[in-house]
Amino acid sequence: MNQKKEAHLTWEPDKPHEECGVFGIYDLDGNDVSSTIYYGLFALQHRGQESCGIAVSDTFGPRKVDLLKGMGLVNEVFNQENLSKLKGNIGVGHCRYSTAGDSIPSNAQPLVLNYVKGTLMLAHNGNLINANELREELAYTGAIFQTTIDSEVIAYHIARERIKAKTAQEAVKNAMKK
């Protein structure tokens, strides 16, 4: 007896989904993490092949962020020379499969925002279902967008919440309520 099983795809908020690839790391000993992020993204390449990027910072030194991102595959954007210029012991990487926003260089992630409390590095995997309403609300309060992706809306909300929150974790929690 041969029975066909029909697959029904439904989005379930409590389960992981195949969209972008995100890889983050924090080395407590202060070692550079860019090559580890590179290999993490290389392993996640199947999750996004449009663009990729790495942002790193040094928690023991000046809090500047080194960022490199571009269109294409991980091994096309990064090489030994440009990876060696990314110095930091904390970082995040992203390989993009676009679900929101155009496939253009400005939409490559991670995003880096400088604001009054410091610098925010953000890589996001998924869709923000109310992005258009939140983007319009932010625009009317002075936000100037550099991308067309919903991840930038999240970054703005986290940065705004961080101004009044005691911790970054509290700011993320409050921003996610929107």
Side-chain angles (χ1 to χ4, degrees), residues 44-79:
L44 292 170
Q45 184 71 82
H46 65 283
R47 295 193 56 133
Q49 301 174 3
E50 292 177 16
S51 64
C52 56
I54 296 175
V56 297
S57 185
D58 182 2
T59 61
F60 295 109
R63 295 287 174 112
K64 72 176 188 72
V65 173
D66 290 334
L67 171 68
L68 178 62
K69 57 186 179 175
M71 300 300 288
L73 301 174
V74 174
N75 66 339
E76 295 170 345
V77 172
F78 299 102
N79 57 49

Side-chain angles (χ1 to χ4, degrees), residues 58-132:
D58 182 2
T59 61
F60 295 109
R63 295 287 174 112
K64 72 176 188 72
V65 173
D66 290 334
L67 171 68
L68 178 62
K69 57 186 179 175
M71 300 300 288
L73 301 174
V74 174
N75 66 339
E76 295 170 345
V77 172
F78 299 102
N79 57 49
Q80 206 166 11
E81 182 182 339
N82 62 26
L83 275 175
S84 69
K85 295 176 183 174
L86 298 174
K87 300 288 186 193
N89 68 316
I90 188 170
V92 63
H94 187 273
C95 52
R96 184 164 190 252
Y97 168 75
S98 64
T99 56
D102 300 321
S103 182
I104 55 176
S106 62
N107 286 344
Q109 294 185 49
L111 298 176
V112 176
L113 273 70
N114 295 306
Y115 68 112
V116 71
K117 286 274 190 157
T119 304
L120 171 67
M121 300 183 294
L122 177 98
H124 169 242
N125 169 19
N127 282 2
L128 183 60
I129 58 171
N130 59 343
N132 291 336

